[in-house]
Amino acid sequence: MDLGIKGKSALVCASSKGLGLGCAENLAAAGVNLIMNARGSDALEAAAKRVRDEYGVIVTTVAADVASEQGQAEVIAAAKDVDILVNNAGGPPPGMWHEWDRDDFIKALDANMLAPIALIKALVPGMMDRGWGRVVNITSQSVRAPIGVLGLSNSARTGLTGYVAGTSRQVAGKGVTINNLLPGIHATDRADGLDGGVVKAKGITLEQARAERAATIPAGRYGTRAEFGAACAFLCSQHAGFIVGQNILLDGGATNLTM
């Protein structure tokens, strides 16, 4: 399918690896020029080179922490005229409800709620002026079905979801759509970290922890960054203009819901 976005430009946050890289790769495959962001310069430059070499698009890199005001300013300055924004950030660490203090919640809010909102506020007005834009926020399946040990993520990402619910409907008339992708377990470093916690708690091997988790997923496996990125690219396409303010699960059926 021709996504109809060749020649457009996109900012993809946290795109040196994992789901963010999957989104960047699929957008590049559709002919979209990229601004790739991540905190670590070495991994970011390596990923950007691979994308340039494979897809032949223009790739600009911004090594910065978008959870900080300075990082946001650097990214916004480089991406002020983009057509597409993909918000993404690593999730807070797991833990128990009684372990988190105010500072833990502030860090989670800064990374997973306030940073995406800041980028939306900075970049969506230009999209509205030009009459076309796409915003995709990578959140989590926990927005639909909270996960106890991910209370920090549950809180911050659900806050972003509420903001998007109202905002998306206010900007849709100007040709700008905002939607959320809710990943379940995918084969990324984040999954390795969560599985590592199970290894320590149960005294089992990493392979056993992965097998146990995969058995809880109706699809019987972890998702891949490529298929996640393809879903993101579709939401960014010319064909997705009537999808507004939605929360789309990509979890292999793990979240047991009827609606």
Side-chain angles (χ1 to χ4, degrees):
M1 177 185 291
D2 181 359
L3 299 183
I5 50 178
K6 184 177 180 180
K8 291 191 180 295
S9 59
L11 166 63
V12 185
C13 298
S15 53
S16 64
K17 58 186 178 180
L19 301 182
L21 179 55
C23 295
E25 290 170 330
N26 276 269
L27 288 170
V32 175
N33 297 314
L34 299 175
I35 298 168
M36 295 178 63
N37 155 258
R39 290 177 296 179
S41 178
D42 290 347
L44 177 60
E45 294 300 335
K49 184 180 185 303
R50 290 197 303 272
V51 172
R52 287 190 199 100
D53 291 347
E54 184 166 354
Y55 301 106
V57 296
I58 299 169
V59 181
T60 303
T61 57
V62 182
D65 182 0
V66 294
S68 70
E69 290 187 6
Q70 178 179 344
Q72 290 166 20
E74 292 175 10
V75 170
I76 290 167
K80 58 183 179 180
D81 295 322
V82 294
D83 305 294
I84 295 165
L85 166 63
V86 180
N87 275 314
N88 183 34
M96 295 299 293
W97 60 272
H98 53 81
E99 297 173 344
W100 302 311
D101 57 24
R102 176 181 173 81
D103 287 343
D104 294 318
F105 280 100
I106 294 301
K107 289 178 182 177
L109 291 170
D110 278 340
N112 299 123
M113 176 182 169
L114 298 178
I117 290 174
L119 295 182
I120 288 170
K121 289 175 64 179
L123 301 178
V124 164
M127 298 179 190
M128 295 171 68
D129 289 343
R130 295 186 295 273
W132 194 94
R134 299 286 185 265
V135 179
V136 175
N137 303 299
I138 301 176
T139 62
S140 170
Q141 70 183 92
S142 66
V143 168
R144 297 292 308 278
I147 299 169
V149 296
L150 297 182
L152 294 174
S153 178
N154 297 342
S155 303
R157 297 189 193 279
T158 301
L160 176 62
T161 303
Y163 175 84
V164 168
T167 303
S168 62
R169 287 158 175 88
Q170 293 174 320
V171 304
K174 296 294 186 178
V176 179
T177 68
I178 309 177
N179 293 288
N180 304 317
L181 282 178
L182 284 54
I185 293 295
H186 287 69
T188 65
D189 289 349
R190 173 69 165 168
D192 287 344
L194 295 174
D195 289 339
V198 176
V199 168
K200 292 179 181 178
K202 293 188 175 182
I204 60 178
T205 68
L206 183 60
E207 289 72 21
Q208 288 172 322
R210 288 171 175 164
E212 284 188 3
R213 194 183 299 275
T216 69
I217 303 171
R221 62 175 178 85
Y222 287 12
T224 69
R225 81 182 192 209
E227 60 193 348
F228 186 91
C232 177
F234 177 78
L235 283 181
C236 296
S237 76
Q238 295 282 12
H239 309 294
F242 210 54
I243 304 174
V244 173
Q246 298 305 301
N247 296 283
I248 301 173
L249 278 164
L250 288 89
D251 67 346
T255 308
N256 197 6
L257 299 169
T258 56
M259 298 179 66

